[in-house]
Amino acid sequence: LNRIAAVDLRVNTLKATRQEAKAALERASIDTKETVLSPLGLRLIGNSRLGETSAFKQGLVEIQDEGSQLIALLCDAKPGMNVVDYCAGAGGKTLALAASMGRSGKVVGRLTACDISKPRLDRLRPRLKRAGVTSVKCQTINAHEDCWVAEQAGKLERVLVDVPCTGMGTWRRDPNMKWLITPMDLEELINLQRRILTNAASMLRSGGKLIYATCSLLREENEYQVGWFLGHHSNFRPIPIDKVWAETITSKPPTSSQNLRLSPATTETDGFFCAVFVKIL
């Protein structure tokens, strides 16, 4: 976490293959290498002014850490599904989900980006336009009880819950954050994460999958939350991450554990955690 983070790009498969995007960047004198784990990733070699390139302006690539790309792929969002990115923020994973569900820029199915902050969702709109995605719904929701969330009860095939967390896995990108988190903050976040998980779970239909993710390295926000969720939601079962990985990414997973853990030390990505649950009733 004390080393400078690399800059990763996700290739927008609605507009280009990885090789086509790599070639377009090379024409702009930007060198990249393929990421090891994500089949959609390119890692910049050296410092580059990416925003000035036609590859970026035309939406061939989007800045997104390799670990974040993997979380989106593990959602296994397919055309025709009803999918919600529940804590979408500025929409990096929403864009990745749209590419998984899309054909020629149009999302096939229903994809909704939710957040309690309208300004954050507003920042997603120009990114969607640049990526050539035209049919993602942006939905502002309340932090607690929300009518729109209640209306979705039992309707969704996938819900991605990338919850607010300490962000410990990204401290190399913003080292000042390590001085701002207190034990009280952690306790509040844990309670918030549990409320979000409960709300998100209510929207899934039988057979639907809940994908829980953080950019934290703390067990209190990761494994302990998985245990809490399963203890309070008997109608959900965990799916081993190697099984999900084999169905979505196909390469060899970086772990044999029940859940996915990524870190700068083990996978040269930001720190991420991911657990996948299926609703059985």
Side-chain angles (χ1 to χ4, degrees), residues 4-279:
I4 296 174
V7 177
D8 293 339
L9 311 176
R10 179 186 54 80
V11 176
N12 178 11
T13 53
L14 296 174
K15 291 193 170 186
T17 65
R18 183 153 67 167
Q19 289 305 315
E20 289 170 342
K22 183 176 175 62
L25 291 167
E26 286 176 353
R27 291 193 290 273
S29 300
I30 294 179
D31 294 326
T32 62
K33 61 180 180 180
E34 295 183 355
T35 50
V36 175
L37 297 172
S38 170
L40 305 177
L42 294 170
R43 179 160 293 180
L44 294 186
I45 301 173
N47 297 321
S48 303
R49 295 177 64 86
L50 182 69
E52 305 297 323
T53 67
S54 60
F56 181 78
K57 291 179 179 179
Q58 295 174 9
L60 273 62
V61 293
E62 189 75 30
I63 297 174
Q64 186 177 25
D65 181 76
E66 184 182 12
S68 182
Q69 296 177 35
L70 294 171
I71 302 297
L73 287 169
L74 291 170
C75 293
D76 194 24
K78 297 175 180 177
M81 287 185 174
N82 193 354
V83 179
V84 164
D85 184 358
Y86 193 63
C87 303
K93 294 183 182 68
T94 302
L95 289 164
L97 293 172
S100 296
M101 298 174 64
R103 298 192 185 111
S104 301
K106 182 175 177 62
V107 172
V108 181
R110 292 178 59 194
L111 175 58
T112 305
C114 297
D115 203 88
I116 61 172
S117 170
K118 185 178 182 297
R120 280 200 292 263
L121 287 177
D122 287 342
R123 292 198 293 272
L124 170 59
R125 299 180 194 278
R127 300 177 73 188
L128 289 167
K129 183 178 180 179
R130 186 175 65 241
V133 177
T134 59
S135 53
V136 171
K137 179 181 179 180
C138 295
Q139 180 72 41
T140 306
I141 58 176
N142 294 322
H144 296 284
E145 294 183 6
D146 183 86
C147 293
W148 183 87
V149 171
E151 291 171 359
Q152 310 312 307
K155 295 181 179 180
L156 307 183
E157 281 96 345
R158 299 286 187 275
V159 179
L160 170 59
V161 189
D162 184 5
V163 294
C165 66
T166 58
M168 184 179 180
T170 64
W171 281 357
R172 58 185 184 158
R173 299 187 186 276
D174 188 2
N176 188 54
M177 286 178 62
K178 69 179 69 175
W179 308 113
L180 302 179
I181 298 294
T182 68
M184 186 177 296
D185 293 328
L186 177 59
E187 183 177 349
E188 292 177 356
L189 283 166
I190 288 169
N191 291 328
L192 174 61
Q193 290 159 5
R194 292 177 177 180
R195 289 200 303 271
I196 290 172
L197 269 170
T198 298
N199 290 339
S202 71
M203 295 189 286
L204 283 161
R205 72 179 194 182
S206 180
K209 293 180 181 178
L210 176 66
I211 298 89
Y212 175 72
T214 76
C215 54
S216 173
L217 299 175
L218 297 177
R219 292 187 180 277
E220 289 88 341
E221 298 183 276
N222 299 329
E223 287 88 351
Y224 296 172
Q225 293 291 53
V226 169
W228 175 88
F229 178 77
L230 292 173
H232 288 78
H233 298 81
S234 59
N235 57 337
F236 281 82
R237 294 287 183 270
I239 306 177
I241 207 68
D242 58 351
K243 184 177 187 297
V244 183
W245 189 285
E247 294 172 350
T248 55
I249 300 174
T250 71
S251 64
K252 184 179 179 180
T255 179
S256 58
S257 301
Q258 178 78 13
N259 306 305
L260 179 66
R261 263 188 172 272
L262 306 171
S263 79
T266 59
T267 53
E268 297 185 9
T269 67
D270 283 348
F272 279 99
F273 176 86
C274 181
V276 182
F277 312 94
V278 61
K279 187 175 183 180

